[in-house]
Amino acid sequence: MNRSRTSVLIVFILGGAAISSLALWKFRPVAAKTVPARILPTVEFETVQRQDYKVQVRSQGIVEAVTESTLAAEVPGRVARVSPVFLAGERFQTGDILLEIDASNYQAALAESQAALQEARLALETEKARGDQARRDWEKLGRGGPPTDLVLRIPHRESAAARLAAAEAALRKAEHDLERCEVRAPYTGRIIATHTDVGDYITSGSALADIYASRLLEARLPVSLDDYLFLQPPSATGGPPVQLSAPVAGSEYRWPATIVRSEGAIERTTRSIGLVARLDPDAQEHDPQQLLRPGLFVQARIEGVTFPNVVRIPRRALRNDSQVLVIDAADQLRFREVSIRWRDPSDVVISEGLQEGERLCVTFLAGVTEGMQVVPIPSKPNAAPSDS
């Protein structure tokens, strides 16, 4: 009896389990099937426009003075006075007295030369009078025959004339020596360094100061031979204009200049040629910060030839050195071979391969395939390169 009850209970339990399992399977939740959305890369584009493009060759160099001199003493003596501008870095004008040498000895020498000149003039006039008297005496005596030069005192007169010429030369030297006691600025400029001061005894030829002409500044700008071919060579009427700049403290200071000459030899190691840019003489007058001086490192943009009817594209749009990506009407990418006429760090100039109005992809994409679908958006002006 107990065995029968146990069997019935087991069958009942198994049946209930089977019914429960069947119900759970029949009424199970069904997951919804969704197709994942296709994500297309977003790229920026620029519309191709043909235009004339003026080449700008970039270079860099250091500003140097065209005229740099060492002031030297022409006469010996003790330094009696120096000008307030006789200091390193100070400016001076043409003719300014920068230093004075004690002139007492030279004033005395000038007085002696003046006295000697008067004596020489007196001696010459005396000899002329004696010669005239000798001629009259010869004629009165009536000895016949012409008088000799010695009788007429011609050698004496010539000797007196020579002594007068020497006295005049000595006076001019004394006046010149006295003038040389004042050391004057030969041009408008600035002082680099001084080598003497009040109380020093200097000899003839002693270095007094190093100076340079502030209105004549140049910068040597090396350019490659490839870039040099796109520049107008300097001529007697002038060369291509140059814009010099110096980034300092977050600001960019600029000065105009002109290429005035090129160096006579090509640099063998770098295969470059040096151009010399002459700054505007008035550039320092418009430089309130006084940055423009020898030793300043500057960057340069030299104007070159003009390419007609070309396409300028940003350098980041160039792929594999001669390819670009063009977006067709179906928003698909197409590879395009182009002919490059010019390139610099920011721009590439295309002469052939692009048509007016086409959309040029300027976004860098990795793993691009022909016909790849994209979402194009216009590029923002001066936008930084974007990656997708």
Side-chain angles (χ1 to χ4, degrees):
M1 191 65 177
N2 292 334
R3 185 176 296 175
S4 299
R5 289 179 179 177
T6 302
S7 299
V8 173
L9 182 58
I10 292 173
V11 172
F12 179 77
I13 292 171
L14 292 176
I19 293 172
S20 300
S21 299
L22 181 62
L24 290 173
W25 181 82
K26 185 175 182 180
F27 297 104
R28 71 188 184 278
V30 179
K33 295 182 179 180
T34 59
V35 179
R38 184 182 179 187
I39 301 177
L40 299 178
T42 301
V43 298
E44 295 181 351
F45 71 88
E46 290 184 359
T47 303
V48 174
Q49 295 180 348
R50 288 194 168 270
Q51 58 188 340
D52 294 342
Y53 181 86
K54 181 176 285 294
V55 171
Q56 287 191 340
V57 176
R58 302 191 182 190
S59 184
Q60 56 189 12
I62 297 177
V63 175
E64 299 291 350
V66 177
T67 303
E68 187 172 323
S69 311
T70 298
L71 285 180
E74 296 186 75
V75 294
R78 192 170 302 280
V79 178
R81 190 182 72 87
V82 296
S83 170
V85 301
F86 193 70
L87 296 170
E90 290 289 347
R91 299 175 181 269
F92 53 82
Q93 302 297 320
T94 304
D96 286 354
I97 299 176
L98 301 179
L99 181 146
E100 292 184 18
I101 299 172
D102 184 9
S104 57
N105 293 338
Y106 300 99
Q107 291 171 346
L110 177 61
E112 292 178 359
S113 299
Q114 292 173 339
L117 176 62
Q118 295 302 326
E119 292 179 357
R121 287 175 177 170
L122 176 60
L124 178 60
E125 294 300 325
T126 300
E127 288 301 330
K128 288 181 178 179
R130 289 178 177 177
D132 293 340
Q133 184 63 42
R135 181 181 295 278
R136 288 194 295 269
D137 293 343
W138 181 271
E139 292 174 353
K140 288 179 180 179
L141 293 176
R143 294 181 179 180
T148 62
D149 290 348
L150 187 59
V151 170
L152 298 178
R153 302 185 66 84
I154 292 178
H156 301 76
R157 184 173 60 192
E158 292 177 349
S159 176
R163 288 195 297 271
L164 176 60
E168 290 174 343
L171 178 61
R172 289 194 298 269
K173 181 179 183 303
E175 291 174 343
H176 196 189
D177 288 345
L178 185 60
E179 292 176 357
R180 290 170 177 175
C181 291
E182 295 179 345
V183 180
R184 296 180 179 270
Y187 44 72
T188 298
R190 301 184 73 168
I191 295 178
I192 302 174
T194 59
H195 306 300
T196 189
D197 208 337
V198 176
D200 290 346
Y201 184 86
I202 55 179
T203 59
S204 180
S206 297
L208 305 178
D210 298 326
I211 61 175
Y212 71 90
S214 57
R215 289 178 57 83
L216 295 176
L217 299 177
E218 292 180 342
R220 180 185 179 275
L221 306 174
V223 298
S224 67
L225 294 180
D226 293 337
D227 292 346
Y228 181 74
L229 296 178
F230 295 102
L231 298 175
Q232 295 291 343
S235 62
T237 59
V242 185
Q243 186 73 43
L244 300 180
S245 62
V248 180
S251 300
E252 187 176 54
Y253 299 90
R254 299 180 179 180
W255 304 275
T258 305
I259 299 296
V260 293
R261 66 182 185 276
S262 60
E263 295 183 345
I266 297 174
E267 180 64 34
R268 291 180 174 85
T269 56
T270 60
R271 300 294 297 167
S272 63
I273 186 168
L275 303 179
V276 178
R278 178 75 56 83
L279 282 97
D280 187 340
D282 298 326
Q284 283 197 337
E285 297 180 5
H286 305 288
D287 181 34
Q289 291 78 15
Q290 298 186 8
L291 292 176
L292 192 57
R293 61 185 69 186
L296 177 66
F297 179 82
V298 293
Q299 298 174 348
R301 290 177 177 265
I302 310 171
E303 288 192 12
V305 299
T306 299
F307 296 136
N309 195 30
V310 293
V311 179
R312 183 207 64 81
I313 67 173
R315 196 179 183 102
R316 66 179 186 272
L318 189 66
R319 302 172 63 91
N320 301 327
D321 201 45
S322 62
Q323 286 184 335
V324 295
L325 288 174
V326 176
I327 306 173
D328 62 13
D331 294 340
Q332 294 178 338
L333 296 178
R334 303 297 178 185
F335 287 98
R336 186 74 60 82
E337 292 287 336
V338 294
S339 298
I340 298 176
R341 189 74 181 276
W342 168 263
R343 68 179 75 196
D344 63 23
S346 60
D347 297 331
V348 177
V349 177
I350 306 299
S351 58
E352 297 179 359
L354 292 175
Q355 301 299 323
E356 182 87 14
E358 288 186 311
R359 294 182 297 176
L360 175 71
C361 177
V362 296
T363 300
F364 174 79
L365 291 174
V368 180
T369 58
E370 181 77 14
M372 181 176 174
Q373 196 77 29
V374 295
V375 178
I377 60 174
S379 175
K380 297 179 180 179
N382 300 324
S386 59
D387 297 335
S388 298

